[in-house]
Amino acid sequence: MTAELNTENKTLNIQQQITFFNQSNDTLTSIVLNDWNNAFSTKNTPLAKRFSDEFYRGFHLAKEEERGSTKNVIILDANKLVLSWERPDRNPDLIEIKLSQNLLPNQKIVLQLTYLTKIPSDKFTKYGYNNNGIIHLKNWFLTPARYENHDFIRYSNTNLDDIANAYSSFEIDLKTPKNFEAISDLKSSKSSVNDPFINYKLSGNNRADFNLIIEPKTHFESYTNSAIEVLTDLRNNKLDNIQKAIVIDRIVNFANDLIGKYPHEKIIVSQTDYERNPFYGLNQLPSFISPFSDEFLFEIKFLKTYLNEYLKTSLQLDPRKDNWIYDGLQVYAMMKYMDENHPNTKMMGSVSNLRLLKSYNIANIGFNDQYSYFYMLMARKNLDQALGDPKNTLIKFNEQIASKYRSGLSIRFLDDYLQNDAVPASIKQFYNQNQIKQVSRTDFETILKSNTEKDINWFFNTIINSRAIIDYKFSSVKKTKDSITFSVINKTETPIPIPVYGTKKGAVVFKQWLDIEECDSTFTFPRNGADKIILNLKNEVPEYNLRNNWKKLDGFFPNNRPVKFVFLKDLEDPYYNQVLYVPSIYYNLYDGITPGIRLHNKTILDKPFTFDINPSYSTKSNNLSGLVSFAVNQNYRNSTLYNVKYSVSGSYFHYAQDASYLRINPMVQLRIREPNFRDNRKQLILLRQVIVNKEKSAFTMDNAPSNYSIFDARYVNTKTEVTNHFNFSSDIQISGKFGKVNGEIEYRKLFENNRQINLRFYAGSFLYNKTESDFFSFASDRPTDYLFDYNYFGRSESTGFYSQQFIMAEGGFKSKMDTPYANRWITSLNASVSIWNWIEIYGDVGFIKNKNQNAKFLYDSGIRLNLVTDYFELYFPVYSNNGWEIAQNNYNEKVRFIVTFSPKTLINLFNRKWF
């Protein structure tokens, strides 16, 4: 290949010759080339869809010159005849070449290609060009796709680094401007030609891909030992070259000893690759917090990035279907490295030594223990996925964190169970076999089984290829001075071995593995002075629940957990009943600033039972107020109905200057998801009884009821992403005085020209209505909120600033109408269209119908500042049934606003791209 770089246009002019050998037993009529750079060409590619699914707006809103593409493709055969080619509709980042003659087994064909590669900006994936003149090239040229099982692997680019290229030999002439330097893990040499250019010659054999970085001034440093040359630009200015060299040499030798010798002469460990797959935990800490030494930070970053590049470059696996092996070997190796070199390091580093944090479980767990908590975070949410699932089917948190960590934990678990170095020996054997031929997970399984006499079918059937959870508990324990007799129950009936430990004052006095066929059986062991027996003490098995894994052998209660009060937040501690306390503050016009103390048991991991008690003091009314809730969560592992939540909650606040309310709300929520976990469609069925007891107020409607109880059934079906949002909800409310039903449809579309349209249709009707006031009526612009669902700052205000708070509900009008309520039926259509960035124009139309009156037509229009949708918005009315509002007196009183202060709500805005 000859490639000439144009740094001004960010393009590469390429002339390429591919000699393709048909090494299969099939006769080929076409050849598929990977053209992943073309995935950046439009807003409709699988890559663009992935960005939209994960709520990344940057790609859709990017300028055309920031996108990448492959253009002007011409393909000739050895006779200079033009070959026809096409891009499949579903795979615009592939090229399928139609051959003029069939290619028989063991024959070859020579293809001549010319094309132009437009390099994308690195702001999308961190690969591409940046504003500093650095170009990090990735998947930038056309190359044959891997041929396997009688066909080419046709994977599209979805930003997962899992391109399936055929293994090839490369010879490349690269021409760059003279003030640029090229860094590659291929063999390279350079020579000056006529100014102002430099020619680089790059070559390498038996590779699926290679790294190429072009910089005005290189930031890469070279470190060479007897095994390999390492080129790295990992940032750590506080370490000198000798310190870095020692760390790099240690990690290189460790990987060679554990896995096998790296097959190439050079390897690149770049800051870009680390930032794409950082060590989660370390990368979340602010720069002014330094719980780890500079040397350790460099070491763990280099270790993770080196192992990732080492395995991806040298293992010839299917990078999408067999990704769990890449991830498992990487994390397993990282854990082994920590055991050997930093066995006493804690997850929180030096912070764990602070006396103030000694009572926190998060400060006491070991560095390697954190991996199981990241897995359990998803398992407790019922969002974990089978390790053997293809990489492109994983939700983002599983793909980058949870599944990766569980893969490593699972290999470590198997190692601990098999013992005798069966797993390390199998890894080396598998790696060596990989150097000879293309391997798969089947080869790995075969090698593992050949190195042990134990039956390990459960490892692949259950741990790898299913999402079955593991949970064991003791059922009965009998003890004498010299022995212990106990039985173990397999709660989930997942046939997995489990270790049992006996401890005395925290020290292990015995350990024994309980094999599959023995589980749910009775065992007798010598006591050896043990005062406690514990299943899975060191968390070798990635278990779902550790709280039922131990029994005390002394004392009246065999598993009593003392209560431990913890400030703010903590990880779940299986040996204590944790009560977390945190200051709280709430505000409304009638209670004023309301400080309180929140007591709850919601640790970082979800629990089947939670409580939340939040007493507070209303500074304006000088009395107690607050919230309380109790909830039971039940997960269903193998059903689209994946979660049922039973709860009861209560709240006591003021709804007017002189009156309080008490709301009690027993509720059942049923959550439904699609079989494809990456599908953003979610469904919810909510059944509740809302019981309200209100004091009478002299400042509100005189005939509004004081006490009432309403049954509410609601259904919600929503699917949302960057470019499209759809939501349908319906609701029926039944009480003694009225019955009503309503439905709502929301649709939001972001077009390719970056214009956005928002549409909402609402319709509601009373089934019967025996009420005497408008308290339960449909509202055109400001619902009375008799269910107390909305966070009104001044819910009873009809004038002034607090009355201008807007809630998108019921009619959804922004202007205050002369006829604000409907006691028969209502329909409305709300629309807005963006005109520039977050500035939109809006319009609302609808009809409201009251008893003994004709239906009335309502309309309004104005300007919407959509700063953060549903969280911070401003509405400026212009024209409505009230006339030209913008020209009327006291216009500032007509402006409406949406403001959300709830931290949980705002955090969910961030979390949605992960879950």
Side-chain angles (χ1 to χ4, degrees), residues 75-77 81-85 97-100 109-111:
I75 304 175
L76 308 176
D77 64 13
L81 296 176
V82 176
L83 297 176
S84 63
W85 59 271
I97 305 170
K98 306 298 182 183
L99 300 180
S100 54
I109 186 173
V110 177
L111 304 174

Side-chain angles (χ1 to χ4, degrees), residues 232-237 244 271-272 275 298 301:
T232 182
D233 67 339
L234 276 183
R235 295 172 195 149
N236 194 315
N237 297 327
K244 290 180 182 178
Q271 181 70 24
T272 296
E275 289 175 356
F298 177 81
K301 290 178 180 179

Side-chain angles (χ1 to χ4, degrees), residues 18 52 141 164 180 218 318 354 374 418 510 525 725 736 752 785 800:
I18 297 175
S52 181
F141 56 91
F180 281 79
T218 184
D318 185 316
L354 298 177
F374 279 110
L418 295 181
F510 71 79
F525 289 135
H725 165 81
E752 289 197 24
D785 189 28

